[in-house]
Amino acid sequence: VAQSNNHAVAALSPAEVEKWRQDLRYLAEEMPRRHKNLFHTMTREQFEMAVKRLDERIPTLARHQVIVELARIVAMVGDGHTGIQGIPFDPKINFRSYPLTLYHYKDGLFVQSADPKYADAVGGRVIKIGNATAEAALRAAGELVFHDNEMGIKAFAPMVAVMPEALHTFGIIKEMESAPFVFEKGGKQFTLELKPISRPTPVGHGTNFMKPSGWVDARDGAKASTPLYLKDPENLYWFEYLPESKTIYVQYNGVQNKPDESIADFAKRLFAFVDSNPVDRFILDMRHNGGGNNYLNRPLLVGLIKSKVDERGKLFTIIGRRTFSAAQNLINELDKYTNTLFVGEPTGENVNFYGDPARIELPNSGLVIRASTLWWQNMDPRDRRKWTGPHIAAEMTSEEYRTGTDPALKAIMAYTPKKELAEAMLEALTANNLELAKKRFWEYKNDPANAYLNPEGAVNTLGYRLMEMRRLEQAIEVFKMNVEAFPQSANTYDSLGEAYMNAGNKELAIKNYEKSVAMDTSNTNAVQILQRLRQQ
């Protein structure tokens, strides 16, 4: 399929239609054959139907629309290592960009940097792109992002949302050569007509936070010094000692050796420094780390396990939406073998995941599809977590970026050890203070720092502990809290039903077991208990 630098929307010739159909057929045949398990998130029928629909539509599409639709099909696989290679940066693809970099902050989608011609938009919130709200544009863009979870989409959908070829295919804009963007800044909304440019080359490991040369950034003019996380994001690994707080900050941006220093040598130098200096706090920042060679992580892991900082409240690991692949494997090992506290956002990778992609080159267009060939499982095979969530949630706002504030570092520096929730609740209940136990439960549940911690299991265990101690009234109250906090969980009703049964309240036991079974028909134990209760 010939590539042209003419970006006008032109119909494909009959010969081009046939070549794209050949490429689509090749993709449809090779992906199931090469991928380790292509149908782990979609069915074969869904895949084949999507291929059939595109095959029928190719004669009505322009070149860029065919590529976007191919990318959409490949992204249906639902793993972050399977996708069209180089989209949109590969010259074979030749897609462009409106001259903005966007970032999805805690408070919305904002312009992080821009070509000086559009400096007025920098720092502004994106309200609309073409005829779509910012939220709708991100949802559409997310369909092209190869990802394991929502954090992967959050990292890369903003890049697709400024891609004219994608926006045109989605029907969000009518004309690619000039597109209206609506921004809000200083309480006022305004519209700018943006013209596309050749796609800027991605910058280093900190792509989400790095601006192309010559562009205006939201941090320009900020009085604060450059925060540590932005100090040297293109350097694969480095550390800095903060003597005032006796803190060592380590940024680990890629799992690959430098030409002049291997990760193993870096680890030796790092832990020699730790051993010979007063260190009360060790911070490992992996929020920019997109992975590399899994087998290079070991020296850092072993060094941390053996070090004096491997204590709860001394060792912290910053994670985020771009923590991925070999970086996720190190996160898994840290989770299993160290006392680290994770801070920041959830990772962009499942804890067990598909990886090590094979290269599938389409015969006519030359586009390259990457398809995962291995299942990386270094956590329990029953562990279905879609990410590693932080113990302390600290997601950045647009204002924090602008002022150079790092919410993750701020949360770490302010950290003070606290009792586990179940322990704090049991302490209150032992003093016969049910209201204090409830207060501690709801404060924990509603604390934004605990956004990714689920206390359901710990509270459920506390309820059973109280039952074993024959404190049935307190157990019932604890299980009732869990039901109120997690009304979609069949297990909370099951536990409450058991507590009522043990307390001799047959009517409420039946009521709660019925709710549990209605939500989870596979709960055969609850079904059997219900039968016995009804016969009594």
Side-chain angles (χ1 to χ4, degrees), residues 8 50 91 109 130 237 257 267 275 280 351 388 391 479 503:
L109 185 67
Y237 32 85
N257 288 324
D275 288 342
D280 290 342
V351 295
T388 298
H391 298 101
F479 287 133

Side-chain angles (χ1 to χ4, degrees), residues 436-449:
L436 179 59
K438 287 182 178 180
K439 180 173 181 286
R440 287 175 175 176
F441 173 79
W442 288 108
E443 282 178 350
Y444 182 98
K445 179 75 170 58
N446 296 323
D447 186 344

